């Protein structure tokens, strides 16, 4: 148990569906992140939120839409995805942004399959 | 961007054996972490070690920041140690953890 919880653990969706991934952290951290892990590729940063404000968007297509209503919750809204978007999506949190040298904690991930 | 290389890419051990995993990085870093990803995808924190040496049970890690590498030592390996080990670094100002491609460890009984 890392203190970061993601739901659902598995998701299968069609290309025309709309779904959302949820992340909640119980660590009192100020920064939250979405990462994508595809087969045969290193983990890639997607979005960074610090104190609820988006500070990084790593050239992510607009079919991925993040939302951070407060410092404890982070969502990733998905719509009109492509099969190549199938991957493990990982949420992380840290006390402060990585620039300050801070430890990151990850959730269990959501394994997404787009059919 | 910064390059993070891990070696070896794959490692098979007999239960009880010791091993050393290596992480090389191409530039100075403010932050370095080692993670273990279990078969279900969970990334488990092993060490937060931007410099120096730390030990936690059968695992220990050393980072020599001036020479741009870190080592993870696993002693008396167990089957539950199987999985992928990742090194991740924060490169000054990037506000991102850059991950290596990992070392896949398989411990056989």
């Amino acid at each position: 148990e890392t203190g970061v919880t993601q739901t659902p653990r598995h998701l299968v969706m069609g290309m025309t569906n709309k779904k959302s991934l949820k992340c909640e952290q119980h660590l009192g951290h100020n920064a939250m992140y979405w990462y994508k892990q595809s087969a045969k590729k290193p983990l890639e940063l997607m979005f960074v939120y610090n104190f609820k404000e988006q500070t990084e968007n790593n050239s992510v297509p607009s079919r991925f839409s993040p939302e951070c209503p407060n410092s404890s919750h982070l969502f990733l809204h998905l719509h009109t995805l492509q099969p190549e978007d199938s991957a493990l999506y990982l949420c992380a949190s840290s006390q402060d942004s990585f620039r300050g040298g801070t430890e990151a904690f990850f959730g269990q991930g959501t394994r997404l399959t787009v059919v | 961007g910064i390059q993070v290389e891990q070696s070896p890419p794959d490692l098979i051990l007999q239960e009880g054996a010791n091993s050393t995993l290596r992480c090389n990085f191409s530039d100075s870093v403010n932050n370095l972490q080692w993670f273990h990803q279990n078969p279900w995808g969970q990334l488990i924190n092993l060490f937060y070690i931007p410099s120096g040496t730390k030990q936690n049970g059968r695992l220990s890690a050393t980072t020599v920041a001036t020479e741009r590498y870190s080592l993870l030592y696993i002693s008396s390996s167990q089957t539950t140690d199987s999985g992928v080990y990742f090194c991740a670094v924060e490169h000054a100002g990037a506000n991102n953890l850059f991950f290596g491609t990992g070392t896949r460890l398989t411990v056989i009984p």
Side-chain angles (χ1 to χ4, degrees):
Chain A
E1 177 57 55
T2 62
V4 182
T5 304
Q6 289 185 243
T7 54
R9 296 292 304 277
H10 301 271
L11 179 61
V12 179
M13 60 185 289
M15 289 189 284
T16 58
N17 291 160
K18 289 184 180 181
K19 297 286 184 182
S20 295
L21 310 184
K22 179 183 177 181
C23 177
E24 183 175 2
Q25 56 97 359
H26 308 276
L27 301 169
H29 289 169
N30 299 314
M32 296 187 76
Y33 313 81
W34 282 115
Y35 278 83
K36 176 183 179 182
Q37 187 178 27
S38 304
K40 311 289 186 186
K41 293 174 73 174
L43 275 81
E44 303 171 83
L45 179 69
M46 299 176 72
F47 300 104
V48 180
Y49 278 82
N50 203 21
F51 290 96
K52 303 188 299 177
E53 299 298 319
Q54 187 182 127
T55 58
E56 303 282 341
N57 176 338
N58 201 24
S59 303
V60 180
S62 60
R63 58 185 183 270
F64 296 91
S65 175
E67 178 190 1
C68 188
N70 54 61
S71 292
S72 300
H73 294 85
L74 185 64
F75 295 88
L76 188 62
H77 303 300
L78 316 171
H79 64 97
T80 60
L81 294 192
Q82 305 298 311
E84 58 265 29
D85 296 322
S86 299
L88 181 68
Y89 289 84
L90 290 157
C91 172
S93 74
S94 62
Q95 183 62 56
D96 296 297
S97 72
F98 290 137
R99 291 194 184 100
T102 181
E103 187 173 5
F105 295 85
F106 283 79
Q108 312 96 313
T110 294
R111 192 163 296 281
L112 173 67
T113 303
V114 181
V115 297
Chain B
I2 191 168
Q3 304 300 312
V4 183
E5 297 180 352
Q6 291 186 243
S7 59
D10 294 279
L11 184 60
I12 300 175
L13 295 177
Q14 198 79 39
E15 197 169 26
N18 303 328
S19 62
T20 301
L21 282 56
R22 187 176 181 100
C23 172
N24 291 333
F25 40 96
S26 60
D27 207 336
S28 60
V29 299
N30 294 327
N31 177 2
L32 188 146
Q33 289 186 243
W34 282 98
F35 296 93
H36 174 214
Q37 189 168 41
N38 66 23
W40 298 272
Q42 172 88 64
L43 279 170
I44 306 296
N45 292 46
L46 297 179
F47 293 102
Y48 171 72
I49 187 166
S51 64
T53 297
K54 290 186 178 179
Q55 178 149 12
N56 184 4
R58 296 182 296 105
L59 273 59
S60 65
T62 295
T63 297
V64 184
T66 52
E67 298 187 21
R68 299 180 184 169
Y69 73 88
S70 183
L71 302 174
L72 178 68
Y73 306 96
I74 304 174
S75 64
S76 305
S77 57
Q78 301 175 358
T79 56
T80 51
D81 294 333
S82 296
V84 183
Y85 289 80
F86 288 102
C87 164
V89 302
E90 191 271 326
H91 178 48
N95 200 22
N96 184 8
L97 268 186
F98 293 92
F99 281 77
T101 50
T103 292
R104 182 173 298 277
L105 175 65
T106 303
V107 181
I108 54 178

